Amino acid sequence: MDTISAFAGRVGLTPSALRFYDDCGVLRPAHVDPDSGYRYYDTGQERDAVLLRTLRQAEVPLADITAVLAGEPDRAREILTAHARRLRARADTAHAAVEAALRMVERPAHGEISVGGAELASAIRQVAPAASRTGEIAALGCVLVEWTTDALRLVATDRYRLAVRELVPHRVAGKPDQLLIPVEAMLDALPWGLRHDVVRLVVDEETARLVAEDGKVGEDGTKDVVPLPVHTGDYPDYRAILDALAPHTSRIVVARDALLGALATDDEAVVLETGTDVLRVGDTTVTAVCSGSARLAFDPAVLAPAVACGVGPDVLLEITAADRPAVVRSADQGSFTTLVMPVHMRQQENTHEEGQP
């Protein structure tokens, strides 16, 4: 038996990845100490662990990986051949999109907290959909940007969902602080962040601006700088919301694109229900890895953007109850978390009984 750290080093995975695969039921440890909770693996599991790592590098969904690890060679070959076709089609689509983006990128945006430009752009893209667009409460139409000596965090909420993305900064000067930036200004900054290797957020007493740190200059020959409007006001205590989360009773790992396809509906609510290795989403059934049972309803217009913001081919849903926030996490990026409120199940069922959309 090996400890999780020793086994992880030998098979090329991280201990956190092994814990995740255990939680998902993809690769269970050979033994878990009942007192300490420590996981132990034996040498006979090395082949599956290395194959799992290789399949993840190829972006094979976890539901398919489970079938490959447990199935016959013919079934594994069928699954992997189909995945290779999907990858080729996706690569062709992505190449065309990048070519189009390269023709469009020409806008400014970011920078005493230094961070990777692409990382910042990704964080903005992920949290922005959770910001309010109604204008009823000005602070909710902003992204909360806060930093400590070792973390930069972006937060957005419209009261129905809460998105949090944490980044590791290259360097931080000055004391920890926070500010509110209107979400539209952050979205305008997104393409600019992609143009620069490193950006710096500079905050003065009443102003903020983003500054490029990679030596690139603007078209007029000056240093590339983007001013950011700052909103003054109070923001909800998102930490209290996260701390109040009850332990989950069900976990679902599902291919992100498959779930998004099932959520592409004009219905005001759709029921998610777990089954044996499947997730029923309204009238659609998709392959999933499920632990525990769950049945609850969501507004597709609220849940779909949270799913779409994930990184990688899979998404993880942690369900507590039909009337409690569900946690939506990217299976490949633990630093991004979204909370989504379900809708009332009775309201959804009544809607269908009355024949309304």
Side-chain angles (χ1 to χ4, degrees):
M1 291 285 185
D2 285 329
T3 64
I4 190 171
S5 296
F7 186 74
R10 189 159 55 251
V11 300
L13 292 168
T14 64
S16 62
L18 287 172
R19 294 187 192 97
F20 177 78
Y21 296 136
D22 177 17
D23 290 340
C24 296
V26 178
L27 184 65
R28 298 287 195 189
H31 173 71
V32 178
D33 187 287
D35 296 322
S36 66
Y38 289 173
R39 297 167 169 88
Y40 295 90
Y41 296 79
D42 65 38
T43 55
Q45 295 179 283
E46 288 185 24
R47 179 261 183 190
D48 281 355
V50 173
L51 178 56
L52 169 57
R53 186 197 70 207
T54 303
L55 292 172
R56 290 306 280 168
Q57 290 172 341
E59 298 184 1
V60 177
L62 284 179
D64 286 345
I65 289 177
T66 303
V68 170
L69 293 179
E72 296 296 324
D74 288 346
R75 176 56 179 158
R77 189 178 299 107
E78 176 185 330
I79 290 172
L80 295 178
T81 300
H83 180 68
R85 286 196 296 268
R86 289 194 297 269
L87 283 180
R88 283 192 292 270
R90 189 189 309 166
D92 291 342
T93 301
H95 179 74
V98 169
E99 290 295 324
L102 287 173
R103 293 191 295 268
M104 296 169 59
V105 173
E106 205 173 11
R107 293 170 66 182
H110 196 53
E112 284 339 325
I113 304 98
S114 297
V115 68
E119 292 175 274
L120 177 67
S122 172
I124 293 171
R125 179 187 68 81
Q126 289 178 312
V127 305
S132 174
R133 302 302 202 277
T134 65
E136 294 178 4
I137 303 177
L140 297 186
C142 297
V143 173
L144 174 68
V145 181
E146 66 175 13
W147 58 95
T148 63
T149 55
D150 55 6
L152 174 65
R153 192 173 295 113
L154 275 65
V155 183
T157 182
D158 60 1
R159 294 181 295 180
Y160 300 100
R161 55 197 158 173
L162 168 68
V164 181
R165 172 72 192 279
E166 187 168 296
L167 303 174
V168 178
H170 296 181
R171 180 175 59 85
V172 177
K175 64 180 182 179
D177 207 344
Q178 61 178 220
L179 71 160
L180 293 174
I181 305 294
V183 64
E184 297 303 332
M186 296 295 282
L187 287 171
D188 285 344
L190 193 156
W192 179 89
L194 291 173
R195 286 201 291 121
H196 298 284
D197 298 330
V198 181
V199 295
R200 183 163 43 101
L201 173 62
V202 179
V203 181
D204 296 324
E205 194 167 324
E206 296 181 352
T207 64
R209 62 189 182 276
L210 297 170
V211 181
E213 271 197 354
D214 50 18
K216 297 178 182 178
V217 297
E219 292 182 357
D220 60 356
T222 60
K223 197 166 188 179
D224 205 342
V225 179
V226 177
L228 292 174
V230 177
H231 175 77
T232 56
D234 295 326
Y235 200 76
D237 184 358
Y238 73 92
R239 287 187 183 82
I241 298 173
L242 295 175
D243 292 343
L245 288 175
H248 64 270
T249 58
S250 176
R251 300 184 77 165
I252 304 165
V253 180
V254 60
R256 185 168 61 111
D257 290 346
L259 180 55
L260 284 174
L263 292 172
T265 173
D266 293 330
D267 291 348
E268 293 181 359
V270 62
V271 172
L272 273 66
E273 184 173 10
T274 58
T276 303
D277 296 329
V278 296
L279 175 67
R280 288 180 284 276
V281 185
D283 297 328
T284 303
T285 299
V286 296
T287 302
V289 178
C290 305
S291 63
S293 61
R295 186 173 187 272
L296 68 172
F298 289 96
D299 179 349
V302 175
L303 179 58
V307 173
C309 288
V311 172
D314 298 297
V315 64
L316 169 66
L317 287 80
E318 295 181 336
I319 310 298
T320 301
D323 59 350
R324 293 290 183 268
V327 177
V328 182
R329 286 200 286 136
S330 168
D332 294 317
Q333 189 176 71
S335 62
F336 173 60
T337 299
T338 303
L339 270 58
V340 181
M341 279 300 301
V343 297
H344 200 290
M345 186 75 71
R346 184 178 302 169
Q347 174 185 346
Q348 191 276 338
E349 291 172 345
N350 290 341
T351 296
H352 281 279
E353 289 173 4
E354 296 166 8
Q356 299 176 3

